[in-house]
Amino acid sequence: MALAINIRADNSSAGEIERLWEQVGAFEIELSMRALGYLPHFTFAIYDEPTIDEQAAWDAMLAAATGETQLRVEFTRIRWFEGPPLVVWAQPAVDEHLARIHASISAAIDPEHCRPYYRPGAWTPHCTLGIGVADERRDDAIAFARAFDRSIEVVFDVVDCVAFPPVRVIAEQRLPTALQF
């Protein structure tokens, strides 16, 4: 069992990412993101070691979220991690809030306990669209990613800590709406 610290879109704007899940799903053996039973999200850290318990992970997320409000994130590119298997993801515009939350979590829990791809210097903020692209559809998925030519905006409004697999929310907190003047 692993623990993940995330921020997720728990509102109607999540539909923008979910539509991309369906499009990317055409290149997968099975619809990977729908199968999770979990909303669009950014993962800040994943811990496999039993030395990091649920309370420690949740405390780190709560501390990192202190003073944060809902994040309105713009996506203008789709990218991929080579794998195997190929993983397709939406790239956020530069967002200092995501970086600040990640840095706070990394300061609260020794990054040596975290999976390598989520450690400082290695972490790439991404919203996953598909994790199981079929080998024979690899080129099609990359062509789809390269052809993406629009902008979508998604509001990430809940921080949480989950155990997986399967995904089970341990604790969650809705972020306050940003004040607008």
Side-chain angles (χ1 to χ4, degrees):
M1 194 67 72
L3 297 175
I5 299 174
N6 311 300
I7 187 169
R8 71 175 194 260
D10 195 355
N11 59 76
S12 62
S13 73
E16 293 286 344
I17 294 293
E18 291 172 332
R19 281 185 280 287
L20 290 172
W21 285 356
E22 300 304 322
Q23 291 174 294
V24 171
F27 309 116
E28 295 184 293
I29 297 165
E30 295 178 5
L31 295 175
S32 62
M33 298 311 292
R34 285 271 182 233
L36 286 179
Y38 185 69
L39 294 166
H41 62 282
F42 287 97
T43 298
F44 296 109
I46 298 177
Y47 305 102
D48 290 307
E49 294 186 16
T51 56
I52 305 302
D53 64 19
E54 294 176 0
Q55 191 61 53
W58 180 236
D59 288 347
M61 182 71 252
L62 281 178
T66 298
E68 296 291 344
T69 60
Q70 296 177 3
L71 302 181
R72 187 173 301 275
V73 177
E74 180 184 19
F75 298 93
T76 57
R77 293 182 71 187
I78 295 178
R79 307 289 306 265
W80 60 91
F81 296 125
E82 285 296 332
L86 189 80
V87 174
V88 180
W89 49 279
Q91 180 181 22
V94 175
D95 190 307
E96 69 279 358
H97 298 284
L98 293 170
R100 186 172 53 240
I101 293 169
H102 181 263
S104 178
I105 292 165
S106 296
I109 299 176
D110 183 347
E112 288 298 314
H113 297 294
C114 188
R115 287 188 183 174
Y117 290 123
Y118 294 91
R119 293 178 185 167
W123 180 67
T124 299
H126 65 281
C127 186
T128 305
L129 303 176
I131 59 173
V133 172
D135 288 341
E136 63 272 10
R137 299 298 312 271
R138 180 186 184 287
D139 293 342
D140 296 330
I142 291 172
F144 169 80
R146 286 185 172 141
F148 185 77
D149 64 351
R150 59 191 181 93
S151 173
I152 63 171
E153 196 172 80
V154 179
V155 175
F156 291 83
D157 56 348
V158 175
V159 293
D160 67 19
C161 180
V162 302
F164 70 97
V167 175
R168 175 180 57 86
V169 176
I170 296 164
E172 64 185 10
Q173 178 175 298
R174 186 162 297 279
L175 294 170
T177 305
L179 296 176
Q180 303 216 338
F181 297 95

